[in-house]
């Protein structure tokens, strides 16, 4: 953001458990943003956050958004929120920076990304004026944005490994699984089957994506022999993400602060490494958020998002959870056709 531009205004809605993460994200953004208000279920943590930011607190989401509209809305969690709440914000034209996937069920996904209608009877569907971004995203990381189309450079992707692990206080296991499958399906087709396992501190593996916690490992198989593995955890000691992509013409390897592109002989044909980059969750959220500043929202979720891609991502997340529960490979395409509740 240019120095002569004022700080972007942001309204915050979060859970008490994420108050520390939200505080650190705002610290990472520094003078680029200014908080107008804090909301969530009333708690000492959120009352304290509002006092620190010198702004009012509100435990009613709709009232907070009406009383304190802002260019950006930072969502630290999706508790107590549904598609209608997010759509009201998008209709206002705000950009939502969400630390959790906005939809954990097909019915919520379809409601959220259904085209809005223009304000006149009989007019064609149109995108909402706002924009929704899930952060942090592997495909918006510094290393990914610095690479010049690695998938094209290696020709057909044949094998892919994705790792994203970190603390539960930062984001959920569902958020990490969503990020991994978002990235995976941008590089390879949706697998025919997914075989997954989960180690969890819970008494049993839950039925809901939002209730998952622990370590999850998934193997996606394509009918032509290609495959990908996903390793995610919300119980790891530190934040770490990695991509290893193998193809006919070479390989691509990346973490959030570096990438290396090799040909089949093992020769480096392109590489990049950030100097002094801090690998933590809040820095990655800020790295996703900063490029949005000063850009007109426009488009909304129905235009800016490939809805079919979102459905495939959710299907893979649901198949990973279901396979963990059944102990058998599951078909994301079958879940997609059935549109299971999730």
């Amino acid at each position: 953001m240019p120095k002569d531009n004022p700080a972007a205004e942001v309204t915050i809605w979060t859970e008490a458990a994420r108050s520390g993460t939200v505080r650190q994200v705002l610290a990472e953004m520094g003078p680029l943003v200014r908080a107008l208000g804090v909301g969530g279920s009333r708690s000492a943590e959120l009352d304290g956050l509002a006092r620190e930011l010198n702004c009012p607190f509100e435990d009613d989401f709709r009232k907070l958004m009406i009383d304190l509209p802002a260019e950006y809305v930072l969502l630290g969690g999706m508790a107590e929120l549904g598609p209608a709440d997010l759509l009201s914000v998008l209709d206002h034209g705000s950009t939502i920076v969400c630390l959790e996937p906005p939809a954990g069920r097909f019915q919520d996904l379809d409601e959220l990304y259904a085209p809005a209608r223009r304000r006149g009877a009989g007019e064609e569907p149109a995108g909402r004026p706002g924009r929704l971004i899930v952060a942090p995203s592997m495909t918006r990381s510094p290393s990914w944005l610095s690479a010049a189309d690695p998938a094209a450079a290696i020709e057909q992707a044949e094998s892919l490994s994705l790792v994203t692990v970190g603390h539960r206080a930062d984001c959920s296991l569902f958020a990490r699984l969503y990020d991994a499958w978002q990235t995976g399906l941008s590089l390879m087709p949706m697998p025919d089957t997914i075989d997954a396992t989960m180690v969890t501190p819970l008494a049993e593996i839950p039925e809901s994506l939002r209730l998952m916690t622990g370590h999850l490992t998934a193997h996606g198989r394509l009918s032509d022999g290609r495959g990908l593995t996903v390793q995610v955890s919300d119980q790891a000691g530190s934040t770490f993400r990695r991509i290893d992509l193998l193809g006919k013409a070479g390989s691509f390897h990346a973490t959030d602060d570096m990438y290396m592109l090799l040909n089949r002989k093992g020769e480096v044909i392109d590489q990049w490494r950030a100097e002094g980059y801090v690998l933590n969750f809040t820095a990655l959220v800020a790295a996703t958020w900063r490029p949005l500043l000063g850009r007109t929202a426009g488009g909304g979720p129905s235009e800016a998002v490939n809805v079919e891609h979102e459905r495939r991502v959710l299907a893979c997340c649901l198949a990973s959870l279901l396979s963990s529960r059944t102990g058998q490979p599951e078909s994301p395409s079958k879940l997609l056709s059935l549109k299971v509740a999730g």
Side-chain angles (χ1 to χ4, degrees), residues 89-153:
V89 176
L90 296 171
D91 278 336
H92 177 75
S94 299
T95 292
I96 302 175
V97 179
C98 195
L99 305 189
E100 291 291 326
R105 305 181 303 169
F106 283 117
Q107 63 193 69
D108 292 339
L109 185 84
D110 291 343
E111 183 179 348
L112 180 61
Y113 292 119
R117 297 194 66 84
R118 290 195 178 98
R119 296 295 188 256
E123 292 185 272
E124 291 300 314
R128 287 181 162 83
R131 172 177 51 190
L132 192 153
I133 301 294
V134 182
S137 165
M138 281 187 177
T139 54
R140 293 175 183 266
S141 70
S143 62
W144 185 270
L145 295 177
S146 299
D149 200 358

Side-chain angles (χ1 to χ4, degrees), residues 42-100:
R42 190 165 293 278
S43 66
E45 292 86 350
L46 296 187
D47 280 334
L49 179 62
R51 286 195 300 271
E52 287 177 32
L53 298 174
N54 193 29
C55 59
F57 177 85
E58 176 58 61
D59 59 7
D60 184 300
F61 181 81
R62 291 295 184 97
K63 187 173 187 303
L64 178 68
M65 296 300 133
I66 292 172
D67 292 349
L68 298 168
E71 183 180 0
Y72 295 91
V73 174
L74 177 60
L75 294 185
M78 288 297 297
E80 303 178 31
L81 299 183
D85 298 306
L86 302 188
L87 291 175
S88 67
V89 176
L90 296 171
D91 278 336
H92 177 75
S94 299
T95 292
I96 302 175
V97 179
C98 195
L99 305 189
E100 291 291 326

Side-chain angles (χ1 to χ4, degrees), residues 178-189:
Y178 171 91
D179 188 22
W181 282 115
Q182 274 274 12
T183 305
L185 297 189
S186 71
L187 297 169
M188 296 185 74

Side-chain angles (χ1 to χ4, degrees), residues 1 7-8 10 22-35 53 286 289-290 293:
M1 178 179 292
V10 56
V22 167
R23 182 183 292 106
Q24 292 167 24
V25 169
L26 295 176
E28 288 282 350
M29 296 298 291
L32 296 176
V33 299
R34 180 174 69 89
L53 298 174
W289 189 357
R290 283 192 201 99
L293 296 175

Side-chain angles (χ1 to χ4, degrees), residues 142-151 153-154 249-254 258-264 266-273:
S143 62
W144 185 270
L145 295 177
S146 299
D149 200 358
I154 67 166
S251 61
F252 174 75
H253 310 275
M258 62 76 64
Y259 77 80
M260 183 177 297
L261 185 62
L262 309 175
N263 62 21
R264 287 297 294 268
E267 299 166 333
V268 177
I269 55 178
D270 190 20
Q271 62 182 328
W272 173 87
R273 181 176 294 277

